[in-house]
Amino acid sequence: MDIAALIAWLVTAVGGFVMLGTWIAKGGTREPGRSRFNPGLVFGHFALAAAGLVLWIVYLIAGGRTLAWIAFVLLVPVALLGFTMLARWIPGYRARAATADPAPEQHFPVVVVGAHGLVAVVTVVLVLLAALGVGS
């Protein structure tokens, strides 16, 4: 369960990096007000997810259920920030065809957005199960 959670977390991170790179490349940080995403929202989501992943790796190396629970607790605000971004992304995605100059996040591949969200939910469930000791 621990390794499955790590793999799911890493796959989720890859999708997140694709979207973060796209958002930055398309001007997400350069043109305030053009994006529906506040840089604090984007980078907060990224930082908390990265911190949790590092803690998960330390947990896998060192052991100790406390680290697993801390990593899980970090995933709660990560998930809330992710849902916030999804809720802001959907209306803009629907309206993108009518916009001559779409917001940076409207360049995200739909498949990446969907896969990132789906695997992120799987990651949260696997981390919770591992923290509970299921499969160990």
Side-chain angles (χ1 to χ4, degrees), residues 18 112 114:
V18 167
V112 175

Side-chain angles (χ1 to χ4, degrees), residues 73-132:
V73 167
L74 280 175
L75 282 178
V76 173
V78 170
L80 292 174
L81 293 172
F83 283 124
T84 299
M85 287 188 283
L86 179 64
R88 291 181 183 180
W89 178 80
I90 290 172
Y93 178 76
R94 289 181 178 162
R96 80 187 188 292
T99 308
D101 187 23
E105 61 273 8
Q106 300 320 312
H107 296 278
F108 295 165
V110 177
V111 171
V112 175
V113 173
H116 178 76
L118 181 64
V119 181
V121 170
V122 170
T123 300
V124 171
V125 171
L126 290 173
V127 168
L128 174 62
L129 291 174
L132 289 170

Side-chain angles (χ1 to χ4, degrees), residues 3-100:
I3 299 301
L6 175 65
I7 292 168
W9 208 324
L10 290 171
V11 169
T12 303
V14 168
F17 279 125
V18 167
M19 290 186 289
L20 178 63
T22 301
W23 186 76
I24 291 170
K26 297 296 181 179
T29 57
R30 291 189 307 263
E31 303 172 40
R34 188 164 161 248
S35 175
R36 293 176 184 257
F37 296 172
N38 177 313
L41 176 67
V42 173
F43 291 114
H45 178 76
F46 167 75
L48 288 172
L53 178 57
V54 169
L55 277 175
W56 193 255
I57 292 168
V58 171
Y59 155 71
L60 291 176
I61 294 168
R65 292 274 173 231
T66 303
L67 288 174
W69 280 108
I70 293 170
F72 174 74
V73 167
L74 280 175
L75 282 178
V76 173
V78 170
L80 292 174
L81 293 172
F83 283 124
T84 299
M85 287 188 283
L86 179 64
R88 291 181 183 180
W89 178 80
I90 290 172
Y93 178 76
R94 289 181 178 162
R96 80 187 188 292
T99 308

